[in-house]
Amino acid sequence: MEKLSVVVNGMACEAGKGEILLDIARRNGIVIPTLCHNEVLKGQATCRICVVEVWEKGKKKIVTACIYPVLSDIEVKTHSEEIRSIRKNILMLLKAEAPESIEIQKLAEEYHAVSSSRFKVNKKNNCVMCGLCARACEELGSFAIATVKRGIEKSVAPPYEEPSETCIGCGSCAFVCPTNTIELVEETSKRKIWGKEFEKLECEVCGKHYVTREQHDFMNKKLGEEQELVCKACKQRKFAEAMIEIYK
């Protein structure tokens, strides 16, 4: 891979051609704030919080670091006065859209993004329409939720805004949501999400209820064979014990 010179905030960072700028920065301990970015579901670029200033061949441009591929030697500024001003305005909008989000409140405080009368506050919503939840469901293969409606009424919901027949209660959508908008209720043997209640099955080793029946059946069908009912912790413990036996 061709190596390039990437200087971020005065720090020289070695990078391969085509690498994503956010990955380069994080590998070198440089903090670029993100909201919609997820290591498993990369490339959303919807919140725009990760904007940075890039100088390439003497020209400046503002880019979103989470999707920007480095193709030549560049210099990057992640917290210039202009970038901080852009992030402040973005956060003022997001704060109005999701006023109860703790994650957005923390970022807003850092950038002194106070509430503004210019933006109408949506008190009944904390979703910033990043799309991570719908994408997680789609890539899993369940297709239980999607963006519905348009404009200011746009939202994420199951088809016809009724409990989805294809939802398996895995909770992936809630786990990737950056603003904790999706309500997931965990009980000992039950899980509730998107207006639907699921029975959780027990781990055959420790007895902990950990997976919904629908999720277990879904994985059996997808992998083409019956999966053992063993939770992640017990699987890891069994693997560790097996490795100990091998190296005795």
Side-chain angles (χ1 to χ4, degrees), residues 5 25 59 128 237:
S5 171
K59 295 182 178 180
V128 292
R237 185 163 56 250

Side-chain angles (χ1 to χ4, degrees), residues 53-244:
E53 183 179 305
V54 169
W55 287 84
E56 184 176 10
K57 298 178 181 178
K59 295 182 178 180
K60 184 184 77 170
K61 53 187 173 182
I62 306 299
V63 305
T64 45
C66 69
I67 60 170
Y68 185 76
V70 177
L71 302 176
S72 63
D73 296 346
I74 59 173
E75 183 178 348
V76 182
K77 295 180 181 179
T78 66
H79 289 77
S80 67
E81 185 176 340
E82 181 179 5
I83 290 300
R84 290 189 65 86
S85 177
I86 292 172
R87 288 190 188 137
K88 178 180 178 179
N89 286 326
I90 291 171
L91 285 163
M92 287 170 67
L93 282 165
L94 291 174
K95 191 176 179 182
E97 185 64 23
E100 300 301 318
S101 169
I102 295 173
E103 293 75 17
I104 292 175
Q105 286 176 15
K106 288 178 180 178
L107 283 169
E109 288 175 7
E110 181 181 347
Y111 287 89
H112 307 292
V114 296
S115 299
S116 172
S117 58
R118 288 185 296 161
F119 308 123
K120 183 179 179 181
V121 176
N122 189 346
K123 296 181 179 180
K124 297 181 179 180
N125 176 59
N126 266 339
C127 176
V128 292
M129 293 304 299
C130 69
L132 279 172
C133 57
R135 186 175 165 195
C137 191
E138 178 183 339
E139 296 205 4
L140 179 69
S142 182
F143 299 96
I145 57 174
T147 54
V148 298
K149 300 181 182 178
R150 295 181 180 181
I152 61 173
E153 294 186 352
K154 188 176 181 181
S155 64
V156 175
Y160 307 108
E161 300 187 14
E162 296 288 339
S164 172
E165 293 181 1
T166 62
C167 181
I168 59 176
C170 65
S172 297
C173 54
F175 300 143
V176 300
C177 176
T179 56
N180 295 307
T181 300
I182 300 171
E183 185 178 0
L184 184 149
V185 179
E186 292 278 19
E187 298 178 1
T188 302
S189 59
K190 294 179 181 179
R191 176 180 293 162
K192 299 176 183 177
I193 189 170
W194 294 112
K196 194 173 178 180
E197 185 173 279
F198 299 86
E199 174 194 0
K200 290 196 291 185
L201 304 178
E202 294 182 14
C203 170
E204 294 174 346
V205 178
C206 67
K208 176 184 176 181
H209 293 81
Y210 77 102
V211 65
T212 69
R213 183 177 297 280
E214 288 83 354
Q215 185 179 355
H216 182 65
D217 292 343
F218 179 85
M219 294 308 297
N220 288 342
K221 184 177 180 180
K222 192 168 187 177
L223 298 174
E225 60 182 11
E226 184 71 22
Q227 302 298 300
E228 60 179 357
L229 279 168
V230 180
C231 68
K232 184 178 180 180
C234 289
K235 283 182 179 178
Q236 291 175 336
R237 185 163 56 250
K238 286 173 66 176
F239 177 77
E241 290 171 351
M243 294 302 294
I244 291 171

